[in-house]
Amino acid sequence: MKGLAASALLASQQVAASIPVFVMLPLDVISNDGSIKNVDSLSNYFNQLRGANVEGVMADCWWGIAERQEKNYDFSAYEQMTQMAKDAGLKMQFVMSFHQCGGNVGDTCDIPLPSWVLDSSQDIFYQDQHGNIDREVISLFADTENVVGQSKRSPLNIYKDFMTAFKSALGSHVGSTISEIQVGAGPCGELRYPSYQMDKWSFCGVGEFQSYNSYAMTQLSSAATAVGHPEWANSGGPSNAGSYNSVPSETGFFGSNDSENFRSDYGKFYLEWYSSALVAHGQDMLTQANDVFGNSAKLAVKVAGIHWWYLDDSHAAELTAGYYNIDGQKDIYYDLASMFTSNNATFDFTCLEMKDNEQPSECKCGPYELVQHTKQATKDNKGHYSGENALQRYDTTAYDTIKSQATSLNWNIDAMTYLRLTDDLMSGSNWDNFKHFVNDMNSM
């Protein structure tokens, strides 16, 4: 009996040590009219993935598809796809995608926000220092404003209503086939500001702060007045932070003069306010999700891997996205990990496939160190951490880098979601390489 018990314990440890691999489905697997594009092909791919011991698939549940008319929900295609995954023996991770599809890196679709949202007050959207309005996602500064749609609901209430309707439609699968709900919290579903919009930005610009709509200005004014410096709200954000495609050395705010940069009293105030609003938004989104899903499914939030300028003292691109990460001053990733852990949510991070030496040296990129940083922050908070690759790659170097990151710090990640299902992935040497990668991850 002792021998059997020892064998059972060893087997359980081996299972626990494996890292399950999921595969992201195409962004447009569901068409804009709310139907699966190619049922037979998708079913065949599901069976092929399960035959390679892939754990499951991830899909976006697009707000712009499932609630085309206000409070009129259609999740039928998502329910059909979930049943197909179940029949193939796959799990599902669903992203509550409250952002548009189109206009970002890797986007192959055009799914705007629902028209009834776009027709609402333009103040609900992010605005930069030039007055440009970004309509890919609702601004977090409007979270509690009862101004959206004919029903005049707040964005937070709208998100909760959407998730409630999703659970009502697919509740029989939640917690079984649907193993995780990733809560979309910003552009690309990531908890960040839209600081590097693709129609204005190119790699490796610092991006721009997004605190210039009326709701942001009002909240900034209140915060500045509370600390005795109402003048700090006059411009809406740093006036010396350059533009989308600036580099840190060209600006005062990201430069080395501490009297006018991110280390100045004003700089510390603004960055704390800007990043705290982001963390609060993440907390509010998870509060809504926990109210809806409870313990029925794991929750997750995705954080962007903004690795350019990570090795620069300013961390400029992180700052404009809301990630206040300055050595000796602030570690936003620790704060995010703490908040996620307190909400029983997984810290999902990207760019696990990247090495520093694959990036242009002039951009001071640190993707490898950034993954280590976020993983350590989550480990320190005794939380859960999962990973994704940022760019489509099929090469052994990328897979080896993912495996290294997945097992580093003597602490395995919970899961890896591979970007993304394509015809190229599923055939020839690419498929052979991927199967080998999945087998290695299952043997960690």
Side-chain angles (χ1 to χ4, degrees), residues 219-234 265-266 269-270:
Q219 293 170 38
L220 178 58
S221 179
S222 296
T225 300
V227 298
H229 286 280
E231 73 279 5
W232 282 351
N234 288 346
D265 288 342
Y266 163 74
F269 159 77
Y270 176 80

Side-chain angles (χ1 to χ4, degrees), residues 240 247-258 260-263 312-314:
N240 61 344
V247 299
S249 61
E250 296 173 344
T251 75
F253 193 76
F254 302 121
S256 58
N257 185 344
D258 287 354
E260 64 173 8
N261 70 1
F262 53 89
R263 295 193 189 278
D312 186 78
D313 288 344
S314 71

Side-chain angles (χ1 to χ4, degrees), residues 89-157:
L90 295 171
K91 300 292 187 182
M92 288 286 309
Q93 298 171 322
F94 267 112
V95 184
M96 300 290 101
S97 295
F98 299 115
H99 60 284
Q100 79 170 23
C101 182
N104 283 293
V105 175
D107 283 359
T108 58
C109 58
D110 181 18
I111 305 170
L113 300 187
S115 59
W116 56 271
V117 175
L118 294 173
D119 291 340
S120 299
S121 166
Q122 296 306 290
D123 278 346
I124 68 173
F125 300 112
Y126 286 107
Q127 186 172 324
D128 65 21
Q129 62 184 327
H130 313 289
N132 298 311
I133 296 174
D134 178 65
R135 296 177 179 83
E136 63 183 301
V137 67
I138 293 179
S139 163
L140 63 83
F141 298 110
D143 270 351
T144 60
E145 303 294 334
N146 296 310
V147 296
V148 183
Q150 291 186 348
S151 62
K152 302 301 180 187
R153 290 176 293 165
S154 72
L156 286 176
N157 286 336

Side-chain angles (χ1 to χ4, degrees), residues 302-320:
K302 185 176 177 181
V303 176
I306 301 180
H307 58 85
W308 52 105
W309 306 116
Y310 178 81
L311 300 180
D312 186 78
D313 288 344
S314 71
H315 293 258
E318 293 166 87
L319 298 187
T320 57

Side-chain angles (χ1 to χ4, degrees), residues 337-393:
S338 176
M339 184 266 288
F340 294 156
T341 301
S342 68
N343 286 277
N344 297 314
T346 296
F347 192 133
D348 182 41
F349 200 68
T350 186
C351 76
L352 264 69
E353 86 283 11
M354 292 184 176
K355 285 185 168 184
D356 294 7
N357 62 11
E358 296 170 337
Q359 316 304 319
S361 59
E362 65 271 18
C363 297
K364 295 188 177 180
C365 301
Y368 199 89
E369 291 85 353
L370 179 55
V371 172
Q372 293 285 289
H373 184 162
T374 56
K375 192 180 181 188
Q376 184 67 59
T378 307
K379 183 180 181 183
D380 290 346
N381 278 281
K382 297 180 173 59
H384 293 274
Y385 189 95
S386 61
E388 301 178 6
N389 52 308
L391 301 175
Q392 187 92 40
R393 289 179 60 176

Side-chain angles (χ1 to χ4, degrees), residues 145 211-225 233 273:
E145 303 294 334
S211 55
Y212 295 86
N213 69 15
S214 63
Y215 298 121
M217 295 283 281
T218 297
Q219 293 170 38
L220 178 58
S221 179
S222 296
T225 300
W273 169 79

